[in-house]
Amino acid sequence: PNMKLDKRVVQRRIALLQEEGIDFICNVAVGTDVTADQLKAKYDAVLLAVGATKPRDLPIEGRQLNNVHYAMTFLGQMQRALFNQNPELMDNCISFRTPFKGNKDWKVVSDGTYIDVKDKNVVVIGGGDTGTDCTATSLRHGCKSLVNLELMDKPPDSRDDVANAWPAYPRIFRTDYGQEEVKDRDGKDPRKYAVMTKRFMDDGAGNVKAIEIVNLKVARDDNGKPTIAEVPGSEQIIPCDVVVLAMGFLGPEQQLLQDFAVETTPQSNIKALHGSNGDGFSTSQKGIFAAGDCRRGQSLVVWAINEGQRA
């Protein structure tokens, strides 16, 4: 989102890559506009760096109701609307004509091209960076209320030296920009921990009107692996007009992998070794390589950069 990443920063990196001799060909869907066979015939090597874009769904009662959206649908439509409705600011970003433009400089009006949650009760299911971006975007729309649901229990304020010993990444309580902004507006943190969504409730006209959740008892076994169990009698109803699913991603789009006929892992990622030796990042198909989230699964951008460079 714009408030998180100034588009001049993106354009600066693209310009550097272009100066190094890279051609960026946009608006091309591999498998539609150009086939995998055409790419393999034209180039000696093809690197698949397509990310892990298949969203995790929540197949429970009422999932078919209107106004239950995937996070990337919500965020993607918003970003495209900002670009389309602010061509001058976008041109300024590309040409570096202006200093940093804050989010308030990018104006947008509800024109039906994006999911507008102004004056609506919003529930975001799932934490992490994507859930935070959905929270912050909803707030900028002017949502009436916002609740953010997390499956796991609230992390401790300090590291558990047994279950989360150094040098593992510390699982501790953190507050990101989206939650800080909701706290500033509404006076409280929007997150509810250790809860599971049981069903989406119908308003009688095919729209979601509420969700039913249940509290969970979260524990860890001797190996530190989390275990969860429902708490009997803890069911709650949360009224809502819009639900955003931000529960992570399951891997790359499978049709593309089928087009290239590459082997996959049990987690549906592309099967390829990690490393910079002769076999590093090679797939089951000669001349086809894979790097980043499509190979290792949903991860951080620093890993994508690392793997792209090594590949």
Side-chain angles (χ1 to χ4, degrees), residues 139-150:
L139 194 71
R140 282 162 174 76
H141 282 201
C143 64
K144 183 177 180 181
S145 69
L146 190 138
V147 177
N148 186 193
L149 305 181
E150 303 226 15

Side-chain angles (χ1 to χ4, degrees), residues 36-47:
D37 287 339
Q38 287 174 324
L39 291 177
K40 289 189 290 185
K42 184 175 181 179
Y43 299 99
D44 296 322
V46 176
L47 172 64

Side-chain angles (χ1 to χ4, degrees), residues 14-87:
I14 292 174
L16 289 171
L17 294 173
Q18 288 174 321
E19 289 174 6
E20 293 177 358
I22 298 174
D23 292 327
F24 291 91
I25 305 175
C26 301
N27 299 315
V28 175
V30 177
T32 303
D33 301 311
V34 62
T35 68
D37 287 339
Q38 287 174 324
L39 291 177
K40 289 189 290 185
K42 184 175 181 179
Y43 299 99
D44 296 322
V46 176
L47 172 64
L48 300 178
V50 295
T53 56
K54 184 179 179 181
R56 188 184 303 277
D57 204 352
L58 189 57
I60 58 175
E61 179 185 342
R63 174 61 183 89
Q64 79 287 351
L65 294 174
N66 298 324
N67 302 320
V68 179
H69 306 285
Y70 287 125
M72 294 311 297
T73 302
F74 176 57
L75 296 173
Q77 289 183 4
M78 182 74 263
Q79 199 64 52
R80 284 190 292 271
L82 281 171
F83 290 165
N84 291 336
Q85 294 188 29
N86 295 271

Side-chain angles (χ1 to χ4, degrees), residues 52-233:
T53 56
K54 184 179 179 181
R56 188 184 303 277
D57 204 352
L58 189 57
I60 58 175
E61 179 185 342
R63 174 61 183 89
Q64 79 287 351
L65 294 174
N66 298 324
N67 302 320
V68 179
H69 306 285
Y70 287 125
M72 294 311 297
T73 302
F74 176 57
L75 296 173
Q77 289 183 4
M78 182 74 263
Q79 199 64 52
R80 284 190 292 271
L82 281 171
F83 290 165
N84 291 336
Q85 294 188 29
N86 295 271
E88 181 180 352
L89 284 175
M90 197 60 197
D91 288 343
N92 287 341
C93 283
I94 293 174
S95 60
F96 297 88
R97 283 197 296 264
T98 61
F100 169 79
K101 288 290 183 180
N103 190 61
K104 62 182 177 60
D105 297 295
W106 295 74
K107 307 300 182 183
V108 65
V109 296
S110 183
D111 60 357
T113 63
Y114 67 94
I115 300 163
D116 188 0
V117 299
K118 180 178 174 59
D119 297 326
K120 294 181 179 179
N121 299 303
V122 178
V123 171
V124 177
I125 301 178
D129 292 338
T130 304
T132 295
D133 292 342
C134 292
T135 294
T137 298
S138 298
L139 194 71
R140 282 162 174 76
H141 282 201
C143 64
K144 183 177 180 181
S145 69
L146 190 138
V147 177
N148 186 193
L149 305 181
E150 303 226 15
L151 185 68
M152 303 308 296
D153 55 346
K154 182 179 179 181
D157 292 327
S158 59
R159 180 198 291 271
D160 185 329
D161 291 331
V162 176
N164 185 214
W166 184 91
Y169 183 75
R171 295 191 299 266
I172 59 175
F173 178 74
R174 293 179 172 86
T175 302
D176 210 333
Y177 78 106
Q179 294 89 35
E180 289 284 3
E181 291 172 350
V182 175
K183 286 174 63 178
D184 185 64
R185 190 193 76 166
D186 298 343
K188 62 180 181 179
D189 194 302
R191 291 171 286 186
K192 286 182 178 290
Y193 292 95
V195 295
M196 182 171 65
T197 305
K198 298 287 287 184
R199 63 185 174 118
F200 302 110
M201 302 176 66
D202 195 335
D203 69 351
N207 305 304
V208 65
K209 72 170 184 179
I211 62 171
E212 180 183 352
I213 64 172
V214 64
N215 291 340
L216 299 173
K217 181 179 180 181
V218 183
R220 294 186 181 275
D221 60 21
D222 294 339
N223 297 319
K225 183 178 179 180
T227 61
I228 59 175
E230 294 185 19
V231 177

